[in-house]
Amino acid sequence: MSRPPTVLVVDDDEGLRTLMSESLRAEGCTVATAASATAAREWLNRQAPDLMILDLKLPDGSGPELVASLQRARTAVPFVVVTGQGDEKVAVEVMKQGALDYVMKDTVLLERLPTVVKRALKTVAQEAALQTAQVEYRRLEREIVAISERERHSIGADLPDTLGQPLTAL
């Protein structure tokens, strides 16, 4: 049996953070929370979630700043942005930073969030499977090259010396 996905909810609004957490727990997720970028960094230094739900505006910085610092530290985490802003320009910027999705804080947020999280987790799983397949492909490719080299040397060693010169001439 596989473990439930771990989601880190980073939002400074305690009530909304609690509601989002309860909504995700009801869907079978393990949920951790942080009220600030600093608290999120501290949690991320100890653990790695499968997904982070990130508010764009935090009391000690912005969501995009947190994502940028994680990317610089090479501890990037897949994330979905949740914001009360309706600014499409901000949405485009966070999508360029790697956000898997963008959800508005509105009256249907709690209904939409589980679907968005499931879709994001599916994307993360597909990317991980693709990466695993690519690693296996490269391993098999190296193995084929090594086998080809061994066979070539084996065939060369098995040929009588008297055939070597005529074959080379051909």
Side-chain angles (χ1 to χ4, degrees), residues 123-135:
T123 299
V124 169
Q126 289 172 336
E127 288 174 359
L130 176 61
Q131 189 174 20
T132 300
Q134 288 171 336
V135 167

Side-chain angles (χ1 to χ4, degrees), residues 1 18-19 29 31 36 51 60 74 80 84 102 120 135 139 168:
M1 189 168 126
T18 300
L19 290 172
C29 296
V31 181
S36 66
L51 184 69
D60 58 348
R74 301 209 187 277
V80 170
Y102 184 85
V135 167
R139 185 192 69 77
T168 302

Side-chain angles (χ1 to χ4, degrees), residues 2 23 41 45 47 72 93 96 113 123 127 129 133 145:
S2 65
S23 173
R41 277 189 199 90
N45 285 336
Q47 300 177 56
R72 283 191 302 274
E93 288 304 313
K96 284 180 182 177
L113 188 62
T123 299
E127 288 174 359
V145 168

Side-chain angles (χ1 to χ4, degrees), residues 140-157:
L140 291 171
E141 190 175 47
R142 286 190 304 272
E143 190 174 320
I144 288 170
V145 168
I147 290 170
S148 296
E149 278 294 311
R150 282 195 306 268
E151 287 301 311
R152 189 174 63 78
H153 286 295
S154 174
I155 291 170

Side-chain angles (χ1 to χ4, degrees), residues 92-164:
V92 169
E93 288 304 313
V94 293
M95 295 304 276
K96 284 180 182 177
Q97 272 189 291
L100 297 171
D101 212 333
Y102 184 85
V103 184
M104 293 298 300
K105 288 182 183 178
D106 58 16
T107 57
V108 293
L109 168 67
L110 296 176
E111 294 170 22
R112 234 185 250 145
L113 188 62
T115 302
V116 169
V117 166
K118 284 178 189 174
R119 187 172 51 234
L121 289 170
K122 184 177 178 183
T123 299
V124 169
Q126 289 172 336
E127 288 174 359
L130 176 61
Q131 189 174 20
T132 300
Q134 288 171 336
V135 167
E136 180 65 5
Y137 174 80
R138 287 190 293 274
R139 185 192 69 77
L140 291 171
E141 190 175 47
R142 286 190 304 272
E143 190 174 320
I144 288 170
V145 168
I147 290 170
S148 296
E149 278 294 311
R150 282 195 306 268
E151 287 301 311
R152 189 174 63 78
H153 286 295
S154 174
I155 291 170
D158 289 346
L159 287 176
D161 289 336
T162 54
L163 287 178

